[in-house]
């Protein structure tokens, strides 16, 4: 015996309303934590320092490049390959990756976790850390590109074998669209590295170890996955690359990079929450 269609519709709407209220309640409980962490992330000297340090290190790296007729795109590629990119990874951690270390040192974490939700505490930290590192990378590298535009052309034309989608976009006058894709991919990569530093700090709450952890994690990941060169969708350099080695389109490249970023950050959130809860019970 089947129920009439109006009853099915009523039940579906009722379940949808309850699930919406449940999700709305979770978001409402998360917002006080998130707003506090967002303020501590963006309205601080750390964020401004990180944004300013990125173009400084980029120009230090660019000063060592003497290749003639180099445009802005080629210069960025050289900086990311042979420059001080590993030190820039440390800058991504400055805005908020050390927040757990600060909370444990001033005992603020025990008040937050005992009086509030443990999962909301971790989620808020993860979101603020990812946003801080990603926005710092976006604004810092955007400053670099704008400064490069005064010194050299951003695009000379040609220079590729014609297979990469960005060459075709740039040759059709969409140079800034290409640089926007580069900035978004770089920001996603920065968010993952910043959250990795936060995750490491939840296990060993030491600022210096947290600062060095993006370099260590990136090097280990590149060396381990680098053995599987025939699987480009597992390589972090290719996932966040504008060369279209994973997907031959801009949309596919961005979608896959966002998907990988969400999966990695979700996994690190689970690991961080386990470490924080275990440390709280032990102390």
């Amino acid at each position: 015996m089947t129920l009439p269609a109006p009853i099915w519709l009523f039940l579906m709407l009722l379940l949808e309303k309850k699930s919406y209220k449940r999700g709305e309640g979770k978001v409402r409980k998360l917002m006080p934590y998130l707003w506090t962490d967002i303020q501590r992330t963006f309205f601080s000297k750390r964020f401004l320092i990180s944004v300013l340090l990125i173009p400084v290190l980029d120009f230090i790296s660019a000063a060592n490049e003497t290749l003639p007729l180099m445009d802005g795109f080629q210069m960025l590629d050289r900086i990311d390959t042979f420059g001080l990119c590993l030190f820039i990874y440390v800058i991504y951690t400055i805005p908020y990756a050390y927040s757990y270390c600060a909370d444990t040192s001033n005992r603020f974490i025990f008040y937050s976790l005992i009086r509030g939700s443990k999962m909301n505490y971790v989620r808020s930290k993860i979101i603020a850390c990812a946003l801080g590192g990603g926005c710092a990378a976006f604004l810092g590298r955007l400053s670099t590109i704008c400064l490069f535009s005064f010194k050299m052309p951003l695009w000379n034309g040609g220079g590729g074998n014609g297979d990469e989608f960005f060459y075709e976009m740039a040759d059709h006058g969409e140079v800034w669209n290409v640089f926007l894709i580069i900035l978004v991919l770089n920001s996603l990569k920065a968010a993952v590295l910043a959250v990795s530093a936060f995750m490491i700090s939840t296990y060993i709450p030491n600022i210096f170890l947290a600062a060095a952890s993006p370099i260590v994690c990136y090097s280990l990941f590149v060396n381990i996955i680098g053995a599987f060169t025939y699987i480009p969708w597992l390589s972090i350099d290719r996932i966040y690359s504008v060369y279209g080695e994973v997907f031959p389109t801009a949309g596919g490249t961005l979608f896959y990079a966002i998907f990988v970023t969400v999966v990695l950050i979700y996994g690190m959130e689970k690991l961080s929450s386990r470490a924080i809860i275990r440390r709280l019970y032990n102390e």
Side-chain angles (χ1 to χ4, degrees), residues 96-139:
Y96 209 56
Y98 314 140
S99 58
Y100 180 75
C101 297
D103 288 349
T104 54
S105 63
N106 58 25
R107 314 296 290 181
F108 176 75
I109 183 175
F110 296 101
Y111 173 80
S112 299
L113 295 183
I114 293 175
R115 297 291 299 271
S117 170
K118 301 177 181 61
M119 291 305 301
N120 286 338
Y121 173 87
V122 177
R123 287 170 183 164
S124 174
K125 295 291 183 185
I126 292 290
I127 294 173
C129 183
L131 289 176
C135 290
F138 187 94
L139 295 176

Side-chain angles (χ1 to χ4, degrees), residues 52-124:
L52 295 177
L53 281 177
I54 292 175
V56 170
L57 290 182
D58 284 342
F59 269 82
I60 293 175
S61 301
N64 298 325
E65 300 295 337
T66 57
L67 295 179
L69 302 178
M70 184 176 291
D71 58 27
F73 179 82
Q74 292 171 328
M75 182 63 75
L76 283 181
D77 186 53
R78 295 284 295 183
I79 289 174
D80 287 336
T81 306
F82 303 104
L84 302 173
C85 61
L86 293 180
F87 293 99
I88 294 179
Y89 296 162
V90 177
I91 297 177
Y92 299 155
T93 67
I94 294 177
Y96 209 56
Y98 314 140
S99 58
Y100 180 75
C101 297
D103 288 349
T104 54
S105 63
N106 58 25
R107 314 296 290 181
F108 176 75
I109 183 175
F110 296 101
Y111 173 80
S112 299
L113 295 183
I114 293 175
R115 297 291 299 271
S117 170
K118 301 177 181 61
M119 291 305 301
N120 286 338
Y121 173 87
V122 177
R123 287 170 183 164
S124 174

Side-chain angles (χ1 to χ4, degrees), residues 100 118-119 122 199 202-203 267-282:
Y100 180 75
K118 301 177 181 61
M119 291 305 301
V122 177
M199 181 194 66
T202 59
Y203 287 88
M268 288 187 286
E269 177 200 339
K270 294 301 181 183
L271 294 174
S272 300
S273 61
R274 289 182 58 185
I276 291 175
I277 293 173
R278 184 178 60 182
R279 178 175 293 273
L280 178 66
Y281 288 151
N282 289 338

